[in-house]
Amino acid sequence: MSSENLPQSPQRSPEPGAEPTRKPRVAVVFGGRSSEHGISVVTAGAVLRAIDRSKYDVLPIGITTDGRWALTADEPERMAITDRKVPNVADLAESADGGVVLPLDPGNREVVYSEPGSVPKALGEVDVVFPMLHGPYGEDGTLQGLLELSGVPYVGAGVLASAVGQDKEYMKRVFTSFGLPVGPYLVIRPREWESDEKAARARIADFAGEHGWPLFIKPARAGSSIGITKVESFEGLDEAIAEAQRHDPKIIVEALLRGREIECGVLEFEDGPRASVPAEIPPVQTHDYYDFEAKYIDSTPGIVPAPLTPEETAEVQRLAVEAFEATSCEGLVRADFFLTEDGRFVINEINTMPGFTPISMYPQMWEKSGVAYAELVDRLIQAALRRSTGLR
Protein backbone atom coordinates (compact mmCIF):
# COMPACT_ATOMS: atom_id res chain seq x y z
CA MET A 1 0.00 0.00 0.00
CA SER A 2 1.54 3.33 -1.01
CA SER A 3 1.75 6.12 1.53
CA GLU A 4 -0.33 8.31 -0.78
CA ASN A 5 -3.32 5.99 -0.26
CA LEU A 6 -3.14 5.99 3.53
CA PRO A 7 -5.91 7.78 5.42
CA GLN A 8 -5.03 11.40 5.98
CA SER A 9 -4.15 12.42 9.51
CA PRO A 10 -6.95 14.67 10.74
CA GLN A 11 -6.12 18.05 12.24
CA ARG A 12 -5.50 17.86 15.97
CA SER A 13 -8.09 19.06 18.45
CA PRO A 14 -7.56 22.51 19.98
CA GLU A 15 -7.13 23.14 23.68
CA PRO A 16 -10.15 22.45 25.93
CA GLY A 17 -12.73 25.21 25.67
CA ALA A 18 -11.77 26.23 22.14
CA GLU A 19 -13.90 25.61 19.07
CA PRO A 20 -13.32 22.15 17.57
CA THR A 21 -11.28 22.06 14.37
CA ARG A 22 -12.06 18.50 13.33
CA LYS A 23 -14.72 15.84 13.59
CA PRO A 24 -14.37 13.05 16.17
CA ARG A 25 -12.55 10.10 14.67
CA VAL A 26 -14.05 6.63 15.06
CA ALA A 27 -11.91 3.52 14.60
CA VAL A 28 -14.19 0.62 13.67
CA VAL A 29 -12.35 -2.55 14.69
CA PHE A 30 -13.63 -5.90 13.39
CA GLY A 31 -12.73 -9.45 12.40
CA GLY A 32 -10.57 -11.05 15.06
CA ARG A 33 -9.21 -14.45 15.97
CA SER A 34 -12.42 -16.15 17.05
CA SER A 35 -14.68 -18.48 15.07
CA GLU A 36 -17.08 -15.52 14.73
CA HIS A 37 -14.61 -13.65 12.52
CA GLY A 38 -16.83 -13.56 9.43
CA ILE A 39 -19.96 -12.40 11.24
CA SER A 40 -17.90 -9.64 12.85
CA VAL A 41 -16.91 -8.42 9.37
CA VAL A 42 -20.56 -8.44 8.24
CA THR A 43 -21.58 -6.53 11.36
CA ALA A 44 -18.86 -3.93 10.83
CA GLY A 45 -19.97 -3.42 7.24
CA ALA A 46 -23.45 -2.50 8.40
CA VAL A 47 -22.08 -0.08 11.00
CA LEU A 48 -19.72 1.55 8.48
CA ARG A 49 -22.65 2.17 6.16
CA ALA A 50 -24.60 3.80 8.98
CA ILE A 51 -22.00 6.15 10.50
CA ASP A 52 -22.72 9.77 9.62
CA ARG A 53 -19.61 10.87 7.68
CA SER A 54 -20.61 14.52 7.98
CA LYS A 55 -20.31 14.11 11.76
CA TYR A 56 -17.43 11.63 12.16
CA ASP A 57 -14.18 10.63 10.47
CA VAL A 58 -13.88 6.85 10.20
CA LEU A 59 -10.85 4.55 10.28
CA PRO A 60 -11.66 0.87 9.49
CA ILE A 61 -9.24 -1.58 11.11
CA GLY A 62 -9.59 -5.31 10.56
CA ILE A 63 -7.95 -7.98 12.70
CA THR A 64 -7.01 -11.08 10.72
CA THR A 65 -7.60 -14.60 11.99
CA ASP A 66 -3.92 -14.80 12.99
CA GLY A 67 -4.14 -11.54 14.98
CA ARG A 68 -2.60 -8.96 12.61
CA TRP A 69 -4.20 -5.52 12.81
CA ALA A 70 -4.70 -4.53 9.18
CA LEU A 71 -5.71 -1.28 7.56
CA THR A 72 -8.73 -1.94 5.36
CA ALA A 73 -10.57 -0.01 2.71
CA ASP A 74 -13.75 1.79 3.71
CA GLU A 75 -15.86 -0.38 1.40
CA PRO A 76 -18.76 -1.85 3.36
CA GLU A 77 -20.30 -3.31 0.21
CA ARG A 78 -17.49 -5.91 0.25
CA MET A 79 -18.34 -6.95 3.80
CA ALA A 80 -21.54 -8.92 3.21
CA ILE A 81 -22.45 -12.60 3.07
CA THR A 82 -22.17 -13.71 -0.56
CA ASP A 83 -23.14 -17.13 -1.92
CA ARG A 84 -23.61 -18.38 1.65
CA LYS A 85 -20.01 -17.43 2.50
CA VAL A 86 -18.97 -14.89 5.13
CA PRO A 87 -16.22 -12.35 4.31
CA ASN A 88 -12.83 -12.15 5.99
CA VAL A 89 -10.34 -9.41 6.81
CA ALA A 90 -7.52 -10.92 4.75
CA ASP A 91 -9.49 -10.20 1.57
CA LEU A 92 -10.19 -6.62 2.67
CA ALA A 93 -6.71 -5.65 3.92
CA GLU A 94 -4.86 -2.96 1.97
CA SER A 95 -1.61 -4.89 2.44
CA ALA A 96 -0.66 -8.52 3.04
CA ASP A 97 1.82 -7.63 5.78
CA GLY A 98 1.20 -4.05 6.91
CA GLY A 99 0.10 -3.51 10.50
CA VAL A 100 -1.78 -0.92 12.55
CA VAL A 101 -0.60 -0.20 16.08
CA LEU A 102 -2.62 1.55 18.78
CA PRO A 103 -0.74 3.64 21.33
CA LEU A 104 -0.17 2.29 24.84
CA ASP A 105 0.49 5.75 26.28
CA PRO A 106 -2.78 7.19 27.68
CA GLY A 107 -1.54 10.66 26.73
CA ASN A 108 -1.22 9.73 23.06
CA ARG A 109 -4.09 8.55 20.86
CA GLU A 110 -2.17 8.52 17.58
CA VAL A 111 -2.45 5.38 15.47
CA VAL A 112 0.60 4.25 13.48
CA TYR A 113 0.75 2.16 10.31
CA SER A 114 3.87 0.30 9.25
CA GLU A 115 5.05 -2.16 6.62
CA PRO A 116 8.28 -4.17 6.61
CA GLY A 117 11.13 -2.09 5.19
CA SER A 118 9.14 1.15 5.30
CA VAL A 119 9.12 4.10 7.65
CA PRO A 120 6.07 3.94 9.99
CA LYS A 121 3.42 6.53 9.19
CA ALA A 122 1.17 8.26 11.71
CA LEU A 123 -2.51 7.98 10.81
CA GLY A 124 -3.60 10.57 13.34
CA GLU A 125 -5.53 10.44 16.58
CA VAL A 126 -8.48 8.20 17.34
CA ASP A 127 -11.15 9.61 19.66
CA VAL A 128 -13.24 6.48 20.12
CA VAL A 129 -13.11 2.82 19.12
CA PHE A 130 -16.21 0.97 17.94
CA PRO A 131 -15.24 -2.69 18.57
CA MET A 132 -17.38 -4.87 16.33
CA LEU A 133 -15.62 -8.05 17.47
CA HIS A 134 -17.53 -11.15 18.49
CA GLY A 135 -16.23 -13.92 20.69
CA PRO A 136 -12.83 -14.46 22.35
CA TYR A 137 -9.99 -12.00 21.76
CA GLY A 138 -12.31 -9.06 21.32
CA GLU A 139 -15.72 -9.27 22.95
CA ASP A 140 -14.41 -10.98 26.10
CA GLY A 141 -12.62 -8.06 27.77
CA THR A 142 -9.23 -8.55 26.11
CA LEU A 143 -9.60 -5.68 23.64
CA GLN A 144 -11.36 -3.60 26.28
CA GLY A 145 -8.34 -4.04 28.56
CA LEU A 146 -6.00 -2.86 25.80
CA LEU A 147 -8.14 0.22 25.20
CA GLU A 148 -8.21 0.98 28.93
CA LEU A 149 -4.40 0.85 28.95
CA SER A 150 -4.35 3.13 25.92
CA GLY A 151 -6.81 5.56 27.45
CA VAL A 152 -9.04 5.42 24.37
CA PRO A 153 -12.83 5.50 24.91
CA TYR A 154 -14.78 2.67 23.30
CA VAL A 155 -18.33 1.60 22.60
CA GLY A 156 -19.92 -1.02 24.82
CA ALA A 157 -19.19 -2.94 27.99
CA GLY A 158 -16.00 -2.62 30.03
CA VAL A 159 -13.49 -5.31 30.93
CA LEU A 160 -15.48 -7.08 33.66
CA ALA A 161 -18.87 -6.98 31.95
CA SER A 162 -17.34 -8.12 28.66
CA ALA A 163 -15.61 -11.07 30.33
CA VAL A 164 -18.73 -12.09 32.24
CA GLY A 165 -20.89 -11.67 29.14
CA GLN A 166 -18.60 -13.98 27.17
CA ASP A 167 -18.39 -16.81 29.70
CA LYS A 168 -21.74 -18.57 29.96
CA GLU A 169 -20.83 -20.20 33.27
CA TYR A 170 -19.97 -17.02 35.14
CA MET A 171 -22.76 -15.11 33.43
CA LYS A 172 -25.25 -17.59 34.88
CA ARG A 173 -23.56 -17.43 38.28
CA VAL A 174 -23.93 -13.64 38.32
CA PHE A 175 -27.57 -13.87 37.21
CA THR A 176 -28.31 -16.37 39.98
CA SER A 177 -26.64 -14.20 42.62
CA PHE A 178 -28.92 -11.30 41.60
CA GLY A 179 -32.05 -13.46 41.68
CA LEU A 180 -32.53 -13.72 37.92
CA PRO A 181 -34.05 -17.04 36.78
CA VAL A 182 -31.74 -19.37 34.81
CA GLY A 183 -32.25 -22.85 33.42
CA PRO A 184 -30.46 -26.03 34.57
CA TYR A 185 -26.84 -26.28 33.39
CA LEU A 186 -23.62 -28.17 34.00
CA VAL A 187 -20.02 -27.08 33.30
CA ILE A 188 -17.18 -29.38 32.29
CA ARG A 189 -13.82 -27.66 32.64
CA PRO A 190 -10.82 -28.74 30.53
CA ARG A 191 -8.83 -30.08 33.50
CA GLU A 192 -11.78 -32.25 34.52
CA TRP A 193 -12.16 -33.68 31.01
CA GLU A 194 -8.42 -34.27 30.58
CA SER A 195 -7.97 -35.96 33.96
CA ASP A 196 -11.00 -38.26 33.94
CA GLU A 197 -13.24 -38.36 30.86
CA LYS A 198 -15.25 -41.24 32.32
CA ALA A 199 -16.18 -39.25 35.42
CA ALA A 200 -17.09 -36.21 33.30
CA ARG A 201 -19.37 -38.35 31.13
CA ALA A 202 -20.95 -39.78 34.28
CA ARG A 203 -21.76 -36.26 35.50
CA ILE A 204 -23.44 -35.51 32.19
CA ALA A 205 -25.37 -38.80 32.38
CA ASP A 206 -26.56 -37.90 35.88
CA PHE A 207 -27.60 -34.45 34.61
CA ALA A 208 -29.55 -36.08 31.75
CA GLY A 209 -31.15 -38.47 34.22
CA GLU A 210 -32.39 -35.52 36.26
CA HIS A 211 -33.46 -33.20 33.45
CA GLY A 212 -34.02 -35.55 30.52
CA TRP A 213 -32.88 -35.60 26.92
CA PRO A 214 -32.22 -33.79 24.64
CA LEU A 215 -29.30 -31.75 25.97
CA PHE A 216 -27.45 -28.87 24.34
CA ILE A 217 -23.66 -29.11 24.37
CA LYS A 218 -22.04 -25.69 23.91
CA PRO A 219 -18.66 -23.98 23.99
CA ALA A 220 -18.74 -21.97 27.22
CA ARG A 221 -17.17 -18.88 25.63
CA ALA A 222 -18.43 -18.64 22.07
CA GLY A 223 -21.39 -17.00 20.37
CA SER A 224 -23.43 -16.90 17.15
CA SER A 225 -24.58 -20.45 18.00
CA ILE A 226 -21.22 -21.77 16.77
CA GLY A 227 -20.15 -25.19 18.06
CA ILE A 228 -23.54 -26.07 19.57
CA THR A 229 -25.01 -29.56 19.22
CA LYS A 230 -28.41 -30.81 20.27
CA VAL A 231 -27.87 -34.32 21.64
CA GLU A 232 -30.81 -36.72 21.73
CA SER A 233 -29.10 -39.56 23.59
CA PHE A 234 -25.86 -40.63 25.25
CA GLU A 235 -24.60 -42.11 21.95
CA GLY A 236 -24.13 -38.67 20.37
CA LEU A 237 -22.38 -37.14 23.35
CA ASP A 238 -18.70 -37.63 22.47
CA GLU A 239 -19.10 -36.14 19.01
CA ALA A 240 -20.95 -33.15 20.45
CA ILE A 241 -18.27 -32.59 23.09
CA ALA A 242 -15.52 -32.75 20.46
CA GLU A 243 -17.36 -30.18 18.35
CA ALA A 244 -17.77 -27.79 21.30
CA GLN A 245 -14.14 -28.24 22.31
CA ARG A 246 -13.01 -27.23 18.82
CA HIS A 247 -14.08 -23.73 19.85
CA ASP A 248 -13.48 -23.78 23.61
CA PRO A 249 -11.90 -26.35 25.95
CA LYS A 250 -14.53 -25.48 28.56
CA ILE A 251 -18.03 -26.67 27.69
CA ILE A 252 -21.46 -26.07 29.15
CA VAL A 253 -24.33 -28.53 29.09
CA GLU A 254 -27.86 -27.12 29.17
CA ALA A 255 -31.21 -28.78 29.62
CA LEU A 256 -33.94 -28.23 27.06
CA LEU A 257 -36.39 -25.48 28.01
CA ARG A 258 -39.69 -25.84 26.19
CA GLY A 259 -41.23 -22.54 25.24
CA ARG A 260 -40.83 -19.45 23.08
CA GLU A 261 -37.55 -17.64 22.38
CA ILE A 262 -37.85 -13.96 23.31
CA GLU A 263 -35.16 -11.29 22.97
CA CYS A 264 -34.98 -7.76 24.35
CA GLY A 265 -32.48 -4.98 23.67
CA VAL A 266 -31.07 -2.61 26.27
CA LEU A 267 -29.55 0.74 25.32
CA GLU A 268 -27.82 3.26 27.54
CA PHE A 269 -29.45 6.69 27.37
CA GLU A 270 -28.33 9.85 29.15
CA ASP A 271 -30.62 9.01 32.08
CA GLY A 272 -29.71 5.31 32.26
CA PRO A 273 -30.48 2.03 30.48
CA ARG A 274 -33.82 1.46 28.78
CA ALA A 275 -35.32 -1.66 27.23
CA SER A 276 -36.63 -1.95 23.68
CA VAL A 277 -39.79 -3.67 22.61
CA PRO A 278 -39.09 -7.41 22.72
CA ALA A 279 -38.90 -9.73 19.72
CA GLU A 280 -39.77 -13.36 19.22
CA ILE A 281 -37.54 -15.75 17.29
CA PRO A 282 -39.84 -18.11 15.37
CA PRO A 283 -38.68 -21.66 14.67
CA VAL A 284 -36.80 -22.10 11.39
CA GLN A 285 -38.55 -25.03 9.77
CA THR A 286 -35.41 -26.36 8.05
CA HIS A 287 -33.39 -26.43 11.30
CA ASP A 288 -33.81 -28.41 14.49
CA TYR A 289 -32.83 -25.39 16.61
CA TYR A 290 -31.51 -21.82 16.24
CA ASP A 291 -28.00 -22.67 15.03
CA PHE A 292 -25.50 -20.56 13.03
CA GLU A 293 -27.07 -21.17 9.62
CA ALA A 294 -30.56 -20.62 11.00
CA LYS A 295 -29.41 -17.23 12.34
CA TYR A 296 -27.40 -15.92 9.42
CA ILE A 297 -28.01 -17.98 6.28
CA ASP A 298 -31.52 -19.44 6.28
CA SER A 299 -33.08 -17.04 8.76
CA THR A 300 -36.72 -16.12 8.85
CA PRO A 301 -37.74 -12.65 10.05
CA GLY A 302 -38.15 -12.23 13.76
CA ILE A 303 -41.50 -11.04 15.06
CA VAL A 304 -41.11 -7.46 16.30
CA PRO A 305 -42.76 -6.58 18.60
CA ALA A 306 -43.24 -10.03 20.07
CA PRO A 307 -46.89 -11.03 20.51
CA LEU A 308 -46.89 -10.79 24.30
CA THR A 309 -49.38 -9.44 26.77
CA PRO A 310 -48.63 -5.98 28.23
CA GLU A 311 -47.71 -7.69 31.50
CA GLU A 312 -45.32 -10.11 29.77
CA THR A 313 -43.72 -7.26 27.82
CA ALA A 314 -43.15 -5.23 30.97
CA GLU A 315 -41.70 -8.26 32.77
CA VAL A 316 -39.17 -9.16 30.08
CA GLN A 317 -38.12 -5.51 29.78
CA ARG A 318 -37.59 -5.35 33.53
CA LEU A 319 -35.52 -8.52 33.52
CA ALA A 320 -33.42 -7.30 30.57
CA VAL A 321 -32.50 -4.07 32.38
CA GLU A 322 -31.79 -6.04 35.56
CA ALA A 323 -29.42 -8.31 33.61
CA PHE A 324 -27.70 -5.21 32.18
CA GLU A 325 -27.22 -3.77 35.66
CA ALA A 326 -26.28 -7.08 37.32
CA THR A 327 -23.34 -7.55 34.97
CA SER A 328 -22.26 -3.86 35.14
CA CYS A 329 -22.81 -3.42 31.42
CA GLU A 330 -22.45 -0.18 29.50
CA GLY A 331 -23.69 0.97 26.13
CA LEU A 332 -25.80 -1.93 24.96
CA VAL A 333 -26.90 -5.51 25.57
CA ARG A 334 -29.19 -8.00 23.93
CA ALA A 335 -30.80 -10.25 26.52
CA ASP A 336 -32.16 -13.62 25.38
CA PHE A 337 -34.96 -15.39 27.24
CA PHE A 338 -37.22 -18.40 27.10
CA LEU A 339 -40.89 -17.90 27.89
CA THR A 340 -41.63 -21.36 29.25
CA GLU A 341 -44.85 -23.26 28.82
CA ASP A 342 -45.84 -22.43 32.40
CA GLY A 343 -45.52 -18.68 31.74
CA ARG A 344 -42.10 -17.96 33.32
CA PHE A 345 -39.29 -15.96 31.75
CA VAL A 346 -35.91 -17.68 32.08
CA ILE A 347 -32.83 -15.77 30.96
CA ASN A 348 -30.59 -17.77 28.65
CA GLU A 349 -27.75 -15.31 28.11
CA ILE A 350 -26.75 -11.74 27.28
CA ASN A 351 -24.68 -10.51 24.37
CA THR A 352 -22.59 -7.42 25.13
CA MET A 353 -21.88 -6.78 21.44
CA PRO A 354 -24.88 -8.17 19.58
CA GLY A 355 -24.92 -8.50 15.84
CA PHE A 356 -25.61 -5.39 13.76
CA THR A 357 -26.13 -7.19 10.47
CA PRO A 358 -29.15 -6.11 8.43
CA ILE A 359 -31.12 -9.08 9.79
CA SER A 360 -29.93 -8.76 13.40
CA MET A 361 -32.60 -8.52 16.04
CA TYR A 362 -31.00 -5.84 18.23
CA PRO A 363 -31.31 -2.98 15.67
CA GLN A 364 -34.70 -4.27 14.57
CA MET A 365 -36.03 -4.08 18.12
CA TRP A 366 -34.79 -0.51 18.51
CA GLU A 367 -36.15 0.47 15.11
CA LYS A 368 -39.61 -0.60 16.35
CA SER A 369 -38.92 1.29 19.59
CA GLY A 370 -38.40 4.56 17.73
CA VAL A 371 -34.60 4.56 17.40
CA ALA A 372 -33.57 4.20 13.76
CA TYR A 373 -30.37 2.36 12.82
CA ALA A 374 -28.24 5.45 12.17
CA GLU A 375 -29.45 7.07 15.40
CA LEU A 376 -28.68 3.86 17.29
CA VAL A 377 -25.08 3.86 16.03
CA ASP A 378 -24.75 7.58 16.83
CA ARG A 379 -26.09 7.13 20.37
CA LEU A 380 -23.55 4.39 21.05
CA ILE A 381 -20.67 6.53 19.81
CA GLN A 382 -21.84 9.56 21.79
CA ALA A 383 -22.24 7.47 24.97
CA ALA A 384 -18.66 6.21 24.55
CA LEU A 385 -17.33 9.74 24.01
CA ARG A 386 -19.03 10.90 27.23
CA ARG A 387 -17.56 8.05 29.25
CA SER A 388 -14.04 8.13 30.64
CA THR A 389 -11.69 5.17 30.64
CA GLY A 390 -10.38 3.72 33.89
CA LEU A 391 -12.35 3.02 37.05
CA ARG A 392 -15.86 4.43 36.90
Side-chain angles (χ1 to χ4, degrees):
M1 179 181 183
S2 67
S3 60
E4 290 80 7
N5 293 328
L6 288 169
Q8 294 300 304
S9 179
Q11 186 177 351
R12 294 178 66 85
S13 298
E15 293 301 316
E19 288 298 317
T21 58
R22 66 172 176 86
K23 296 176 285 189
R25 199 170 201 215
V26 182
V28 178
V29 181
F30 58 93
R33 294 162 54 191
S34 83
S35 53
E36 297 176 78
H37 177 99
I39 290 303
S40 171
V41 177
V42 175
T43 298
V47 170
L48 285 170
R49 281 191 293 271
I51 292 178
D52 184 352
R53 305 311 171 91
S54 69
K55 191 172 182 179
Y56 304 103
D57 284 320
V58 176
L59 180 66
I61 300 173
I63 302 177
T64 63
T65 54
D66 60 1
R68 178 172 65 92
W69 289 50
L71 194 63
T72 67
D74 187 5
E75 298 176 355
E77 65 276 4
R78 296 173 57 196
M79 302 166 70
I81 295 174
T82 306
D83 298 328
R84 301 177 69 87
K85 294 181 179 179
V86 292
N88 65 78
V89 168
D91 292 337
L92 300 166
E94 295 282 7
S95 166
D97 49 14
V100 176
V101 179
L102 290 181
L104 289 180
D105 178 0
N108 173 26
R109 293 183 181 177
E110 193 159 73
V111 175
V112 174
Y113 177 82
S114 63
E115 293 190 49
S118 300
V119 176
K121 179 178 175 59
L123 301 183
E125 293 183 342
V126 165
D127 297 290
V128 63
V129 170
F130 204 134
M132 302 311 305
L133 295 154
H134 300 309
Y137 313 112
E139 191 182 355
D140 60 349
T142 50
L143 177 64
Q144 290 74 15
L146 173 64
L147 296 173
E148 293 286 351
L149 289 172
S150 303
V152 179
Y154 53 92
V155 171
V159 176
L160 174 65
S162 296
V164 170
Q166 187 64 41
D167 191 312
K168 292 178 175 62
E169 175 192 359
Y170 288 98
M171 181 197 309
K172 291 176 187 293
R173 288 181 181 275
V174 170
F175 290 158
T176 301
S177 70
F178 277 81
L180 292 163
V182 302
Y185 71 95
L186 172 71
V187 175
I188 304 294
R189 293 184 173 82
R191 186 178 297 125
E192 179 183 1
W193 182 255
E194 292 163 5
S195 63
D196 195 339
E197 289 185 16
K198 183 177 179 180
R201 288 191 190 91
R203 286 186 64 210
I204 298 173
D206 290 344
F207 183 81
E210 182 179 358
H211 301 288
W213 299 93
L215 301 177
F216 289 90
I217 311 298
K218 302 180 178 182
R221 294 163 293 194
S224 296
S225 298
I226 291 173
I228 297 176
T229 305
K230 183 180 180 182
V231 180
E232 299 287 351
S233 68
F234 200 76
E235 285 69 30
L237 190 59
D238 281 0
E239 185 179 350
I241 290 172
E243 171 60 18
Q245 289 177 333
R246 286 200 314 114
H247 304 278
D248 188 347
K250 182 167 80 167
I251 65 170
I252 188 165
V253 181
E254 294 179 350
L256 173 68
L257 290 176
R258 300 187 185 280
R260 300 159 60 188
E261 292 192 44
I262 306 294
E263 298 184 349
C264 190
V266 179
L267 179 64
E268 185 179 356
F269 286 75
E270 290 81 356
D271 60 350
R274 303 181 198 171
S276 70
V277 299
E280 180 168 3
I281 308 300
V284 181
Q285 299 302 321
T286 54
H287 294 261
D288 196 27
Y289 62 98
Y290 201 41
D291 62 5
F292 177 87
E293 290 204 349
K295 277 186 176 180
Y296 297 107
I297 307 296
D298 301 320
S299 60
T300 56
I303 304 170
V304 190
L308 301 171
T309 66
E311 293 76 18
E312 289 170 336
T313 296
E315 176 66 1
V316 76
Q317 289 174 325
R318 180 186 70 81
L319 290 170
V321 172
E322 282 195 12
F324 182 96
E325 298 282 33
T327 47
S328 298
C329 281
E330 295 167 297
L332 72 164
V333 147
R334 191 194 71 230
D336 300 345
F337 297 85
F338 291 104
L339 177 55
T340 62
E341 293 176 340
D342 60 358
R344 297 180 303 115
F345 280 106
V346 175
I347 187 164
N348 184 37
E349 62 183 38
I350 58 169
N351 194 313
T352 58
M353 187 50 69
F356 272 79
T357 67
I359 61 171
S360 296
M361 295 311 302
Y362 185 85
Q364 287 191 49
M365 288 187 287
W366 280 107
E367 180 88 31
K368 293 295 186 180
S369 302
V371 181
Y373 192 101
E375 181 188 350
L376 178 61
V377 170
D378 184 70
R379 280 189 172 276
L380 290 169
I381 294 172
Q382 288 298 317
L385 286 168
R386 289 193 303 268
R387 196 164 57 233
S388 65
T389 55
L391 297 177
R392 52 188 181 273

